[in-house]
Each structure stands twice: as structure tokens, then as C-alpha cells.
Amino acid sequence: GESVGLHLPTLSVQEGDNSIINCAYSNSASDYFIWYKQESGKGPQFIIDIRSNMDKRQGQRVTVLLNKTVKHLSLQIAATQPGDSAVYFCAERSNTGNQFYFGTGTSLTVIP
Amino acid sequence: DTAVSQTPKYLVTQMGNDKSIKCEQNLGHDTMYWYKQDSKKFLKIMFSYNNKELIINETVPNRFSPKSPDKAHLNLHINSLELGDSAVYFCASSQHQRLFFGSGTQLSVL
């Protein structure tokens, strides 16, 4: 889809609080999902991934939840820190090939 | 060692010019991509190459021509640049799993 008319969603959280970032994906045939973090002036960096046969996966301070019924992903960040301030993207991979499509992104600001 | 490196990091040019962006990956991946990120941070796939062969061409004007001399390199050549081409262009690579991104090329067309 195109970005015309879309605005980057924003989320502000207090340092130490938990953050939840949501993403709706489009293709029910997607078999693999990834969350990326993009800091200013840098390329997106991998945070955590999940396959479509799972509904939850935990990493260090991060948890990804997958709800295939409503095509929804969420990223939970525990004890959010100032270094977590960035734009976060979800990406889905089509099961027909090695193609990754990105969601709109959410800008997270952590207030010290 | 940088896994995915692209050059230049900044590119400022006049409308109508032709320019190229280069990308190299040292991860041994078979698949490379070009993504365009607009001012609203929306990341859109442009091209995907697998082992030097074009897999995806997502409604990109034919002024954009990717070239893959070998599977470690995927360059992007843009002819007759337009104002709307101003964006950040990211190269990426993958091997069936996560994407690894370069640091981006910020293209400004004046």
C-alpha cells in the first residue's frame, strides 16, 4: 500500500514502564513475522521474530504476540529505557517467496 | 566488518540527472533487496534479487534499474531523477530468515 494520507503513529512512555506496540498485517498466508527497530539515521535492526505456528515468543526484555485470527502482532518492551526510543516496524513474509512487507511503523519516545 | 554496506550515504543532485547507489553484502546471502523509505518512514519494497536474478519488481518506474553483477552486489541506477525520488533507499539481504539492512542512502533531488 501507499503511505499517502498515513501518519506515523506515536507512543510516549515513561522510563521504566512497559511499552506495547501494535501492528496489523495484511496477508493471512504470511508465515513469518519480524519486529525491527530503526534509530535516527540508521537502517532497521532486527529485534525478534516469530513463525506463524507460534503465538508468543520472548527475548531479552521483549515479547512478541501473534494473533492470526485477527491478523495482529504486538511487541511488548519491558522496563522501557531511553535507548529504546526509535521507530518500530513489523514485517511479514509471504509464504510464496522470500518477500518481506513492512507495516507503517510506530515512533516510540521514552521520557526520562 | 559491516554486513551490508551501501554507498554513498548522502546523494544530492539536480532533477534530470542519472545516479547510482551501490550495495554489497558479505553474509553469503542469496537474496538482496532495495527498499524505499519516504518522509513518513514508510518502507516499501522495490526490488528483490535471488542469485543475481530478479524476483520482485514492485510497480517501480522503469527509470529505476537494478543490476546484480554477482550475488554479493546489488546496485541501483536511477535515470532522469525527479523530485519525488527524494527518499532514503535501503539495501538489504536475507537467507530465508531475517533481513539485514544497510545504513541507507539519503537521496535529495533538487
Side-chain angles (χ1 to χ4, degrees), chain A residues 2-3 36 51 93 98 100, chain B residues 33 35 38 44 96-97:
Chain A
E2 295 295 330
S3 63
Y36 281 90
R51 297 194 179 280
R93 185 183 71 183
N98 205 19
F100 292 86
Chain B
Y33 308 79
Y35 279 84
D38 64 20
K44 184 171 181 180
H96 306 300
Q97 297 285 338

Side-chain angles (χ1 to χ4, degrees), chain B residues 27-45:
Chain B
L27 297 166
H29 289 166
D30 287 334
T31 310
M32 295 185 72
Y33 308 79
W34 278 107
Y35 279 84
K36 179 181 180 181
Q37 187 172 47
D38 64 20
S39 58
K40 296 184 177 72
K41 299 294 187 183
F42 187 70
L43 269 167
K44 184 171 181 180
I45 189 168

Side-chain angles (χ1 to χ4, degrees), chain B residues 11-19 81 83 107-110:
Chain B
L11 188 51
V12 181
T13 188
Q14 299 285 335
M15 261 194 328
N17 284 350
D18 304 338
K19 290 293 178 186
L81 278 155
L83 293 176
L107 172 64
S108 300
V109 183
L110 307 177

